[in-house]
């Protein structure tokens, strides 16, 4: 029940209000009464009533002065003023202090109760509104981080129009409408040995990288005046930095990224490639800067880890030795896994580059030729140690010295590489198919107790899943799922026959996460249930 304080120097009025108003029906009780202004203030601070009803003329302090004092700390507290018919100036003064409720003396009981109901209704509406606002702020506090994260991701993947990113929308999510935006892509380069790690171990390293990125941004944010840097956890190996500001913070951004790259490598031994997109003038262009940053990071990956590239640099590079180094790096990569068709594609790019006018000297071409041939010879000796290579290194070096014209050297090199590629295709054609299947089987032997993704296996072998699936069935006579279940059941049979494990334990140990499914597959392949064997 709410409370009311009555203030009047006339005891008859106090008595009449106390006895004739049906306070319980109004949901009110009298917290106390006062006969002068000073006592009224002392009583108010002691009992903290929900409503105050006061006469204007009081000893010590007027009712308006009491109202003024209360309003300083309680601007929304309902105050009802008792005023005479000829006291318009008093009413106007009360309005200046936010009092909108008046009772003109002498007032009838019905009129007093009507004003009190109006006051209580207004107070109830205000309190409901305040509760709703508090609830909204609590809910918004929980939802806004998710909306902010989703919004940042959409900026990188959705092409908005400028009118779709209004200032109100940006501010609601927590962004001021900055006039400069730029994007940096950070690519975690997962080394070969890490691809054999359990996914949990990789995710722990990735979490460590995310923590370094966030902490570095937090530490440097205060130094980047008029700039705001947001981190987007974009994918399993990619983090994105979104810079918004009133100026181009490129130098600070480069320093920031450099620290991240260095610390991630120092503490986690993970190399990071970074690409910086160009500066844009509106948040709707974030997607363009992001796509540019991805192009830049691809160039950084070809050059090796822990490199930072700007999009402008990748676009403005002329034909130089750097162009050859990128392609030679690709050449080495494709020969590492004997991807002959890709090797041919890389050679065609180098061939066209060498043929272009003024892009290479005879000396540059000779250096490129020796590098190409050395890679092929090295891989031949490792793959076919008992076979004679299509061309000996001594013969190659002798021939290359005899070519005095760039055109002749390029044409001869083209014939050598094509002849070599043809020979490789003949030697490894069938062997490669069998080797791929052997690698798949080896993977199953090493990981049968884990969750196995055929697509992940295909990706690790640099082949398309559909091609690998067809090849596996042609070579083995069964599809991969059947082979995997058969291998797991064979291992399960051995474990059950040992007598050391329960059925559910064997199910877990052989990669069947569902014991019921394990029993069904086991019986289908062996004709017996696991419990019969155990």
């Amino acid at each position: 029940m709410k409370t009311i304080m009555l203030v009047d120097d006339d005891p008859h009025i106090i008595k009449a209000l106390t006895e004739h108003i049906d306070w319980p029906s109004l949901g009110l009780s009298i917290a106390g009464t006062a006969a002068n202004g000073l006592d009224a203030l002392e009583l108010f601070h002691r009992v903290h009533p929900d409503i105050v009803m006061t006469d204007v003329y009081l000893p010590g302090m007027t009712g308006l002065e009491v109202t003024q004092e209360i309003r300083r700390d309680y601007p929304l507290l309902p105050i009802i003023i008792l005023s005479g018919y000829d006291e318009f100036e008093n009413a106007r003064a009360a309005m200046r202090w936010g009092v909108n409720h008046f009772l003109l003396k002498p007032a009838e009981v019905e009129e007093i109760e009507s004003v009190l109901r109006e006051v209580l209704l207004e107070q109830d509406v205000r309190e409901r509104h305040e509760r709703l606002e508090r609830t909204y702020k609590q809910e918004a506090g929980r939802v806004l981080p998710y909306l902010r994260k989703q919004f940042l991701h959409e900026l990188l993947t959705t092409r908005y129009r400028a009118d779709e990113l209004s200032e109100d929308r940006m501010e609601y999510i927590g962004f001021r409408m900055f006039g400069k935006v730029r994007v940096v892509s950070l690519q975690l380069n997962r080394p070969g040995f890490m691809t054999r790690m359990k996914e949990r171990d990789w995710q722990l390293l990735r979490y460590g990288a995310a923590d370094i990125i966030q902490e570095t941004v937090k530490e440097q944010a205060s130094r980047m005046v008029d700039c705001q840097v947001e981190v987007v956890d974009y994918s399993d190996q990619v983090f994105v930095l979104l810079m918004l500001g009133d100026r181009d913070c490129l130098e600070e951004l480069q320093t920031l990224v450099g620290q991240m790259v260095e610390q991630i490598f120092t503490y986690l031994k993970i190399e990071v490639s970074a690409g910086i997109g160009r500066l844009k003038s509106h948040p709707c262009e974030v997607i363009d800067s992001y796509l540019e940053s991805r192009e830049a990071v691809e160039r950084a990956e070809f050059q090796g880890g822990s490199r930072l590239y700007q999009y402008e640099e990748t676009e403005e590079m002329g034909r130089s030795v750097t162009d050859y180094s990128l392609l030679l790096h690709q050449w080495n990569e494709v020969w590492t896994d004997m991807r002959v068709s890709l090797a041919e594609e890389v050679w065609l790019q180098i061939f066209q580059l060498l043929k272009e006018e003024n892009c290479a000297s005879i000396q540059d071409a000779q250096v490129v030729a020796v590098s190409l041939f050395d890679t092929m010879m090295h891989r031949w000796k490792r793959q076919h140690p008992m076979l004679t290579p299509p061309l000996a290194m001594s013969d190659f070096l002798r021939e290359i010295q005899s070519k005095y014209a760039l055109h002749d050297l390029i044409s001869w090199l083209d014939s050598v590489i094509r002849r070599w590629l043809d020979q490789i295709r003949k030697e490894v054609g069938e062997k490669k198919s069998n080797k791929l299947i052997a690698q798949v089987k080896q993977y199953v032997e090493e990981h049968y107790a884990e969750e196995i993704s055929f697509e992940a296996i295909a990706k690790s072998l640099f082949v398309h899943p559909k091609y690998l699936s067809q090849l596996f069935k042609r070579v083995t006579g069964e599809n991969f799922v059947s082979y995997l279940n058969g291998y797991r059941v064979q291992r399960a049979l051995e474990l059950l026959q040992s007598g050391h494990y329960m059925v559910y334990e064997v199910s877990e140990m052989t990669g069947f996460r569902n014991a019921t499914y394990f029993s069904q597959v086991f019986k289908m392949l062996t004709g017996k249930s696991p419990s019969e064997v155990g």
Side-chain angles (χ1 to χ4, degrees), residues 163-179:
D163 60 347
E164 293 177 313
L165 297 177
S166 65
E167 187 171 350
D168 289 342
R169 181 180 181 185
M170 295 287 288
E171 288 182 355
Y172 177 76
I173 300 295
F175 299 105
R176 190 159 59 82
M177 186 60 80
F178 292 105

Short mmCIF file of all heavy atoms in Angstrom, two decimals, residues 163-179:
data_model
loop_
_atom_site.label_atom_id
_atom_site.label_comp_id
_atom_site.label_asym_id
_atom_site.label_seq_id
_atom_site.Cartn_x
_atom_site.Cartn_y
_atom_site.Cartn_z
N ASP A 163 21.78 4.26 -47.58
CA ASP A 163 20.59 4.61 -46.80
C ASP A 163 20.14 3.48 -45.88
O ASP A 163 19.29 3.68 -45.01
CB ASP A 163 19.44 5.01 -47.73
CG ASP A 163 19.04 3.89 -48.69
OD1 ASP A 163 19.79 2.90 -48.82
OD2 ASP A 163 17.97 3.99 -49.31
N GLU A 164 20.68 2.28 -46.07
CA GLU A 164 20.33 1.16 -45.19
C GLU A 164 21.16 1.16 -43.91
O GLU A 164 20.86 0.42 -42.98
CB GLU A 164 20.53 -0.17 -45.93
CG GLU A 164 19.56 -0.37 -47.08
CD GLU A 164 19.82 -1.67 -47.83
OE1 GLU A 164 21.00 -1.94 -48.14
OE2 GLU A 164 18.86 -2.41 -48.09
N LEU A 165 22.20 1.97 -43.87
CA LEU A 165 23.05 2.07 -42.68
C LEU A 165 22.92 3.48 -42.11
O LEU A 165 23.83 4.29 -42.19
CB LEU A 165 24.51 1.75 -43.02
CG LEU A 165 24.78 0.33 -43.53
CD1 LEU A 165 26.24 0.17 -43.89
CD2 LEU A 165 24.37 -0.70 -42.49
N SER A 166 21.78 3.75 -41.55
CA SER A 166 21.53 5.08 -41.01
C SER A 166 22.35 5.31 -39.75
O SER A 166 22.84 4.37 -39.11
CB SER A 166 20.03 5.24 -40.68
OG SER A 166 19.67 4.34 -39.65
N GLU A 167 22.45 6.58 -39.37
CA GLU A 167 23.21 6.93 -38.17
C GLU A 167 22.57 6.33 -36.92
O GLU A 167 23.25 5.85 -36.03
CB GLU A 167 23.30 8.45 -38.05
CG GLU A 167 24.20 8.92 -36.92
CD GLU A 167 24.44 10.42 -36.97
OE1 GLU A 167 24.06 11.03 -37.98
OE2 GLU A 167 24.99 10.95 -35.99
N ASP A 168 21.22 6.31 -36.89
CA ASP A 168 20.51 5.75 -35.74
C ASP A 168 20.79 4.26 -35.60
O ASP A 168 21.01 3.76 -34.49
CB ASP A 168 19.00 5.97 -35.88
CG ASP A 168 18.62 7.43 -35.68
OD1 ASP A 168 19.44 8.17 -35.12
OD2 ASP A 168 17.51 7.82 -36.09
N ARG A 169 20.79 3.56 -36.73
CA ARG A 169 21.04 2.12 -36.67
C ARG A 169 22.46 1.83 -36.20
O ARG A 169 22.70 0.93 -35.40
CB ARG A 169 20.82 1.49 -38.05
CG ARG A 169 21.03 -0.02 -38.06
CD ARG A 169 20.81 -0.63 -39.43
NE ARG A 169 21.01 -2.07 -39.38
CZ ARG A 169 20.97 -2.86 -40.45
NH1 ARG A 169 20.73 -2.35 -41.65
NH2 ARG A 169 21.16 -4.16 -40.32
N MET A 170 23.42 2.59 -36.71
CA MET A 170 24.81 2.40 -36.33
C MET A 170 24.99 2.68 -34.83
O MET A 170 25.65 1.91 -34.12
CB MET A 170 25.71 3.32 -37.13
CG MET A 170 25.74 3.03 -38.63
SD MET A 170 26.65 1.53 -39.04
CE MET A 170 28.34 2.06 -38.73
N GLU A 171 24.38 3.76 -34.34
CA GLU A 171 24.54 4.11 -32.94
C GLU A 171 23.87 3.09 -32.03
O GLU A 171 24.36 2.81 -30.93
CB GLU A 171 23.97 5.51 -32.68
CG GLU A 171 24.84 6.62 -33.26
CD GLU A 171 24.29 8.00 -32.95
OE1 GLU A 171 23.19 8.08 -32.36
OE2 GLU A 171 24.95 8.99 -33.31
N TYR A 172 22.75 2.53 -32.46
CA TYR A 172 22.07 1.52 -31.64
C TYR A 172 22.97 0.31 -31.44
O TYR A 172 23.03 -0.28 -30.35
CB TYR A 172 20.77 1.09 -32.32
CG TYR A 172 20.04 0.00 -31.57
CD1 TYR A 172 19.33 0.28 -30.41
CD2 TYR A 172 20.08 -1.32 -32.01
CE1 TYR A 172 18.67 -0.71 -29.71
CE2 TYR A 172 19.42 -2.33 -31.32
CZ TYR A 172 18.72 -2.02 -30.18
OH TYR A 172 18.09 -3.01 -29.49
N ILE A 173 23.71 -0.07 -32.46
CA ILE A 173 24.61 -1.23 -32.37
C ILE A 173 25.89 -0.85 -31.61
O ILE A 173 26.62 -1.72 -31.14
CB ILE A 173 24.96 -1.75 -33.78
CG1 ILE A 173 23.68 -2.18 -34.51
CG2 ILE A 173 25.90 -2.94 -33.72
CD1 ILE A 173 22.97 -3.34 -33.86
N GLY A 174 26.15 0.45 -31.50
CA GLY A 174 27.33 0.88 -30.76
C GLY A 174 28.43 1.47 -31.62
O GLY A 174 29.59 1.51 -31.20
N PHE A 175 28.06 1.97 -32.82
CA PHE A 175 29.05 2.56 -33.71
C PHE A 175 28.63 3.98 -34.06
O PHE A 175 27.48 4.22 -34.42
CB PHE A 175 29.19 1.75 -35.01
CG PHE A 175 29.63 0.34 -34.80
CD1 PHE A 175 28.75 -0.71 -34.91
CD2 PHE A 175 30.95 0.07 -34.49
CE1 PHE A 175 29.15 -2.00 -34.72
CE2 PHE A 175 31.36 -1.22 -34.28
CZ PHE A 175 30.46 -2.27 -34.39
N ARG A 176 29.58 4.88 -33.96
CA ARG A 176 29.35 6.22 -34.48
C ARG A 176 29.52 6.20 -35.99
O ARG A 176 30.21 5.34 -36.52
CB ARG A 176 30.35 7.19 -33.82
CG ARG A 176 30.07 8.66 -34.08
CD ARG A 176 30.75 9.51 -33.01
NE ARG A 176 32.18 9.31 -32.98
CZ ARG A 176 33.04 9.91 -33.80
NH1 ARG A 176 32.60 10.72 -34.76
NH2 ARG A 176 34.33 9.69 -33.69
N MET A 177 28.86 7.10 -36.67
CA MET A 177 28.96 7.14 -38.13
C MET A 177 30.29 7.76 -38.54
O MET A 177 30.40 8.96 -38.79
CB MET A 177 27.79 7.93 -38.73
CG MET A 177 27.75 7.90 -40.25
SD MET A 177 27.60 6.22 -40.91
CE MET A 177 25.85 5.95 -40.71
N PHE A 178 31.34 6.92 -38.55
CA PHE A 178 32.67 7.40 -38.93
C PHE A 178 32.76 7.62 -40.44
O PHE A 178 32.03 6.99 -41.22
CB PHE A 178 33.73 6.38 -38.51
CG PHE A 178 33.90 6.26 -37.02
CD1 PHE A 178 33.40 5.17 -36.33
CD2 PHE A 178 34.55 7.25 -36.30
CE1 PHE A 178 33.56 5.05 -34.96
CE2 PHE A 178 34.72 7.15 -34.93
CZ PHE A 178 34.21 6.05 -34.26
N GLY A 179 33.69 8.48 -40.83
CA GLY A 179 33.86 8.78 -42.25
C GLY A 179 34.95 7.98 -42.93
O GLY A 179 35.17 8.12 -44.14
#
